[in-house]
Amino acid sequence: MMVTHKIIDDFYEDSFTLLAVHSSMEDYALVYALNLCLKTKFKRVAKDLDISDSISFPIFEWKDDITDSYWTLIVNKCYQEDDSLKNGLFENVPSIIEHHLVPEYKEADYFLKIEHDNSNLEKDILNLLLTIPKIITAYILDVDQLKSKSNLIF
């Protein structure tokens, strides 16, 4: 007799704060601004978050040993060149497909994920984010309402 074990999708329960950030800045410029404003030390992860063979999202991370929190900045948009054959007037012009890490919030450019135990921290971080001149807006998301929450677990 063989025992079968099944993993339930809701098995992984991790509490984290997720902030959506709208900004026209490039990812390296936003990381620089965050490091100055929030006194963080974000660094680019060597391996991007791969959703499939051709879809990957850059990740920046920082481990705060003082507050025992883990911060991650994730780019929400990824562009892929479409290699399908085209006929007609624009056959030599490549078409670009845009993919989103969290499709429910296509308008968000970045997500700041903070794994911590201090619930008072998120309001302070949000207020500091809004002081950065090139950040258009930022807001806290309800993670439990996201359909694509599994994309943020890595």
Side-chain angles (χ1 to χ4, degrees), residues 75-139:
V75 179
N76 189 33
K77 296 176 183 175
C78 168
Y79 299 99
Q80 173 190 20
E81 189 172 319
D82 186 16
D83 294 332
S84 63
L85 295 174
K86 297 178 234 74
N87 295 326
L89 183 62
F90 299 105
E91 65 185 42
N92 294 330
V93 178
S95 63
I96 305 296
I97 301 171
E98 184 177 75
H99 299 281
H100 300 280
L101 183 65
V102 180
E104 298 95 307
Y105 289 95
K106 291 180 182 180
E107 65 279 353
D109 299 306
Y110 302 94
F111 292 108
L112 184 61
K113 176 183 168 185
I114 308 166
E115 299 173 26
H116 61 90
D117 294 330
N118 186 358
S119 61
N120 299 330
L121 183 68
E122 49 197 47
K123 297 277 186 194
D124 296 334
I125 294 167
L126 181 62
N127 290 333
L128 286 171
L129 281 176
L130 294 172
T131 63
I132 299 174
K134 296 263 182 164
I135 290 182
I136 299 166
T137 190
Y139 46 90

Side-chain angles (χ1 to χ4, degrees), residues 23-35 60 110 132:
S23 176
S24 60
M25 289 193 292
E26 294 289 329
D27 54 4
Y28 60 87
L30 180 62
V31 166
Y32 181 76
L34 290 176
N35 286 342
F60 299 84
Y110 302 94
I132 299 174

Side-chain angles (χ1 to χ4, degrees), residues 34-48:
L34 290 176
N35 286 342
L36 284 177
C37 182
L38 299 176
K39 308 294 186 243
T40 57
K41 295 178 182 163
F42 279 104
K43 290 186 180 180
R44 174 97 186 244
V45 176
K47 187 170 172 30
D48 291 343

